[in-house]
Amino acid sequence: MAITHRRLLAATLVAGLTLLAAWTPARGAEPTPAPAVTAPNIIFVLVDDLAWNLVQYLPQVQRLQSEGVTFTNYTVTDSLCCPSRSSILTGQFPHDTGVFTNGGADGGFAVFKGRGNENRTFATALQAKGYRTGFLGKYLNGYLPADTQGGTLPYVPPGWSEWYVAGNGYSEYNYDLNENHAVVHYGSQPADYLTNVLSRKGKDFIQRSAAANTPFLLEVSTFAPHSPFTPANQDLEDFPGLTAPRTPAYDQLPTNPPSWLAGNAPLTTQEKSTLDTNFRKRAQSVQAVDRLIGNLRTQLTTSGIADNTYVVFSSDNGFHMGEYRLTGGKQTAFDTDVRVPLVVAGPGVVPGSQRAEIVQNIDLAPTFQRIGAADVGTHVDGRNLLPLAQGEVAPNWRTGALIEHHGPNQAADDPDAQDRRNGSPVTYEALRSAAYTYVEYSNGEREYYDRTVDPHQLNNIAAGLSTTRRAALHDALAAYVACHSHSACWTAGHVPA
């Protein structure tokens, strides 16, 4: 198909989706868009534990920003792998997926599957619309490649046409992949480096899908840059002397800190050295991710489908490294942990643009589904982001994000287990608007940061709020935690200014 023809078809689709988009909350499910002449493809690159401070080392992501839209107020529903990924797959908050941790009674793959979430992901919706769907890399904590889940073959969840997924792939070497129901072992040779393997498999998936003239969704979910921060061999000497950023929050406690944080002493010389080493390794480890993005986009061009493909880049959570006297970790409600990159390029997206609206990872599933002309059901808490990406005005957009976390998270078998030094907050819920962050802990403690004057969140002024203001914030947070439908969560997302 000629490129000009593809552009015409892509423009036709964009126009159709634009007419269908509405900014007022629906009472029920969003209507299914009319079928398009040619459905666009979607590539979603999801990285693990990548904070905003690593984007400067990712030229392919910067290129994506110049060609697409960056959402500057994008946050996750929980800065923890499995809850965040569950929200991404379903478009639902943790209180609706039931996944609040990486394992046990309230989290992990077993809970996600046991609650029927696998039957209502963006993959099942798009596959039903004729999409070829592929998943590469990291799925959910607790998933094991060889586990049959009671069947006769290694388990592949519903909705995925092709499946190349690891269990414990954090080391990048010596891991197993479930490759479409067959377990394949990869060793310790340079060619076995997991991020590079995912790159090769992603290019192959794109090439075959384009040759079959079949629309596709491909999620490439890397383990990088999660600890132990293992770079590819060719990147081991990169960024000599690089150190962790010394922001105003580095090695500082906020005023009136919550009790889980208050006891932390200043960082030691050894802790600072370790943070510097690990930050450098993180920057090194994302070089393979950057090449992966470049390789996938090159394959799109080679296959003649670049103009009809959305490319989406994001992270499942952020990562603090020295801020608030915490060594490396996540799970807090600070922006270091919950505010992460979301960059989208593709048909109709405004190049080099930024959107400051409050958006969350619950919005990815409905966006992917609407791109593919699939229905968005009443159970989905998120909203379609495509009109924002295409430059439309959104005067009635939500004004607050909801963050939900269960803690402390100290299970010995959890790759994300943290102690007081890393940061292990007790259970909390939080509101994050464009101006403030408000946190309620299960032990009754509160935090409130006015980020308009305190962007690094160093002055907790919760105790000084008026009774009226505290009540309004509490009621808004309670309503958000209690929402259970597309329209109810949209209404709850309009929080006090």
Side-chain angles (χ1 to χ4, degrees):
M1 181 181 293
I3 294 297
T4 54
H5 190 196
R6 285 192 175 278
R7 287 175 175 159
L8 177 61
L9 291 176
T12 301
L13 175 74
V14 168
L17 287 172
T18 301
L19 290 172
L20 285 163
W23 293 115
T24 54
R27 291 188 175 274
E30 288 191 13
T32 302
V37 176
T38 299
N41 311 299
I42 305 165
I43 293 178
F44 176 36
V45 178
L46 179 67
V47 292
D48 197 341
D49 287 9
L50 183 136
W52 261 110
N53 56 24
L54 287 178
V55 171
Q56 61 189 308
Y57 307 107
L58 292 162
Q60 288 293 335
V61 174
Q62 294 171 39
R63 175 190 165 200
L64 200 66
Q65 289 182 290
S66 70
E67 297 175 3
V69 59
T70 301
F71 290 90
T72 59
N73 267 312
Y74 173 76
T75 57
V76 295
T77 54
D78 187 6
S79 182
L80 186 60
C81 291
C82 205
S84 178
R85 290 165 184 268
S86 298
S87 289
I88 289 170
L89 287 164
T90 62
Q92 292 183 299
F93 287 113
H95 68 251
D96 281 330
T97 65
V99 179
F100 289 92
T101 63
N102 286 342
D106 62 350
F109 162 65
V111 170
F112 185 82
K113 179 178 184 293
R115 290 176 61 96
N117 290 304
E118 289 186 312
N119 298 311
R120 47 179 179 267
T121 67
F122 59 75
T124 57
L126 289 174
Q127 191 180 64
K129 283 292 183 179
Y131 271 67
R132 181 194 298 245
T133 56
F135 195 108
L136 313 180
K138 178 179 177 178
Y139 183 43
L140 297 171
N141 297 77
Y143 174 84
L144 299 173
D147 189 352
T148 65
Q149 289 291 303
T152 58
L153 296 172
Y155 179 73
V156 173
W160 298 103
S161 310
E162 297 193 24
W163 184 257
Y164 305 91
V165 174
N168 185 359
Y170 298 100
S171 68
E172 299 284 344
Y173 296 103
N174 293 305
Y175 57 88
D176 292 334
L177 288 183
N178 178 342
E179 300 193 356
N180 301 319
H181 303 287
V183 177
V184 179
H185 180 73
Y186 290 78
S188 57
Q189 298 302 308
D192 296 320
Y193 185 77
L194 179 53
T195 304
N196 293 345
V197 171
L198 301 182
S199 180
R200 295 195 298 270
K201 291 187 179 297
K203 289 178 61 180
D204 179 64
F205 179 91
I206 293 168
Q207 185 177 39
R208 289 185 288 105
S209 298
N213 198 29
T214 303
F216 65 83
L217 173 136
L218 174 64
E219 176 171 343
V220 184
S221 179
T222 70
F223 284 79
H226 193 288
S227 63
F229 322 119
T230 305
N233 283 357
Q234 69 194 85
D235 304 313
L236 287 170
E237 304 303 322
D238 288 359
F239 312 113
L242 184 64
T243 60
R246 265 58 169 176
T247 70
Y250 185 84
D251 204 17
Q252 297 294 320
L253 283 181
T255 61
N256 307 308
S259 56
W260 66 266
L261 179 60
N264 275 6
L267 297 170
T268 66
T269 300
Q270 181 58 55
E271 286 172 332
K272 291 179 180 180
S273 177
T274 299
L275 286 167
D276 289 340
T277 298
N278 287 342
F279 186 79
R280 184 165 60 254
K281 291 171 65 177
R282 282 167 58 79
Q284 292 169 344
S285 71
V286 296
Q287 298 313 295
V289 175
D290 203 59
R291 288 191 295 272
L292 177 151
I293 295 170
N295 290 340
L296 298 184
R297 299 194 74 191
T298 297
Q299 185 61 58
L300 291 174
T301 300
T302 301
S303 296
I305 55 174
D307 288 346
N308 196 37
T309 301
Y310 289 93
V311 180
V312 180
F313 172 82
S314 193
S315 177
D316 61 353
N317 45 256
F319 204 74
H320 54 255
M321 298 197 76
E323 294 89 351
Y324 315 108
R325 293 185 180 172
L326 297 172
T327 56
K330 48 200 176 188
Q331 305 184 34
T332 80
F334 291 118
D335 268 13
T336 53
D337 296 7
V338 299
R339 179 179 165 268
V340 298
L342 175 62
V343 184
V344 181
V349 175
V350 181
S353 60
Q354 293 187 349
R355 296 303 297 246
E357 285 84 358
I358 298 294
V359 298
Q360 289 200 265
N361 51 355
I362 56 168
D363 298 321
L364 294 179
T367 301
F368 296 161
Q369 289 168 221
R370 293 299 297 270
I371 287 173
D375 177 57
V376 176
T378 59
H379 67 283
V380 174
D381 301 331
R383 306 291 289 192
N384 174 23
L385 297 179
L386 193 58
L388 290 179
Q390 294 174 342
E392 293 198 19
V393 178
N396 194 39
W397 193 258
R398 74 166 73 91
T399 57
L402 173 64
I403 301 149
E404 304 178 297
H405 179 76
H406 282 189
N409 180 35
Q410 298 171 330
D413 60 347
D414 188 343
D416 295 321
Q418 296 181 185
D419 58 20
R420 175 183 288 272
R421 204 57 174 152
N422 303 110
S424 191
V426 298
T427 295
Y428 67 82
E429 288 91 29
L431 288 178
R432 185 190 182 278
S433 78
Y436 64 81
T437 297
Y438 171 70
V439 189
E440 291 188 358
Y441 291 96
S442 58
N443 60 8
E445 295 179 324
R446 301 287 184 268
E447 286 179 288
Y448 183 95
Y449 300 97
D450 180 355
R451 299 194 326 278
T452 63
V453 296
D454 180 26
H456 295 281
Q457 298 168 271
L458 289 170
N459 188 19
N460 176 18
I461 59 173
L465 297 175
S466 69
T467 301
T468 301
R469 177 66 169 169
R470 287 170 64 93
L473 291 168
H474 171 78
D475 291 346
L477 182 55
Y480 222 161
V481 171
C483 77
H484 296 289
S485 70
H486 195 64
S487 57
C489 291
W490 179 249
T491 299
H494 292 77
V495 304

